[in-house]
């Protein structure tokens, strides 16, 4: 994930610019939920400019969101809960989009993105993430933290 400068802000390019990437395996429904990092904080700034993207065969949408370093800490805690097969709800402050993951059965999770502050739209999708998906999310988190701290 290499940043480049544009308009005074560092921007992440490439597919590795995703803090969260959850997808069904190839050849299945093709559901994808991701949190793309659009721009790193300006020097001295403390928020990542991001967007949740939800893609299914019937729906494709995006929801803008700002993520702070405290939010990254909360995401790390949420990943720990998910590793224990527990329900998590992330970004619950009411200031931004809310993200939920509920383990449904072995190998199946229900993912929900709720845009409470703006459109009031909620999109929920079942996903069958690949084995090791939590470790993948942890690696993504560490990469974003590295870039966040610059």
């Amino acid at each position: 994930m290499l940043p480049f400068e544009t308009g005074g802000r560092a921007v992440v390019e490439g597919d590795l610019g995703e803090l969260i990437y959850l997808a069904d395996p190839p050849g299945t429904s093709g559901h994808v939920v991701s949190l793309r990092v659009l721009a790193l904080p300006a020097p001295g700034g403390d928020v990542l400019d991001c967007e949740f993207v939800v893609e299914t065969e019937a729906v494709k949408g995006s929801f803008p969101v700002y993520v702070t370093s405290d939010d990254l800490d909360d995401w790390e805690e949420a990943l720990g809960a998910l590793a224990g097969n527990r329900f998590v709800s992330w970004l619950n402050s009411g200031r931004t989009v809310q993200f939920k993951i509920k383990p449904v059965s072995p190998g199946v999770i229900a993912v929900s993105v709720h845009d409470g502050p703006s459109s009031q739209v909620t999109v929920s999708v079942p996903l069958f993430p690949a084995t090791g998906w939590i470790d993948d999310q942890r690696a993504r988190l560490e990469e974003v933290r590295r870039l966040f701290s610059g």
Side-chain angles (χ1 to χ4, degrees), residues 2-47:
L2 300 173
F4 62 94
E5 290 293 317
T6 179
R9 296 185 67 161
V11 177
V12 178
E13 64 181 348
D15 289 337
L16 295 177
E18 293 164 325
L19 171 59
I20 297 170
Y21 185 82
L22 301 168
D24 284 334
T28 62
S29 68
H31 296 168
V32 175
V33 177
S34 64
L35 179 60
R36 294 180 182 159
V37 178
L38 301 176
L40 296 173
D46 63 351
V47 296

Side-chain angles (χ1 to χ4, degrees), residues 46-114:
D46 63 351
V47 296
L48 292 167
D49 183 10
C50 301
E51 72 176 347
F52 273 105
V53 177
V54 179
E55 298 178 37
T56 74
E57 58 280 339
V59 174
K60 183 173 181 176
S62 64
F63 305 89
V65 62
Y66 293 98
V67 175
T68 68
S69 60
D70 288 342
D71 294 331
L72 295 179
D73 293 343
D74 292 344
W75 179 234
E76 182 175 26
E77 287 180 29
L79 289 171
L82 287 166
N85 204 37
R86 294 188 313 268
F87 167 83
V88 299
S89 183
W90 182 55
L91 299 174
N92 298 319
S93 68
R95 68 171 165 79
T96 191
V97 172
Q98 185 178 33
F99 182 65
K100 297 179 182 181
I101 299 176
K102 179 180 179 181
V104 177
S105 62
V108 182
I109 58 176
V111 178
S112 175
V113 178
H114 174 65

Side-chain angles (χ1 to χ4, degrees), residues 118-131:
S118 183
S119 68
Q120 297 294 313
V121 168
T122 301
V123 179
S124 299
V125 296
L127 288 169
F128 301 84
T131 302

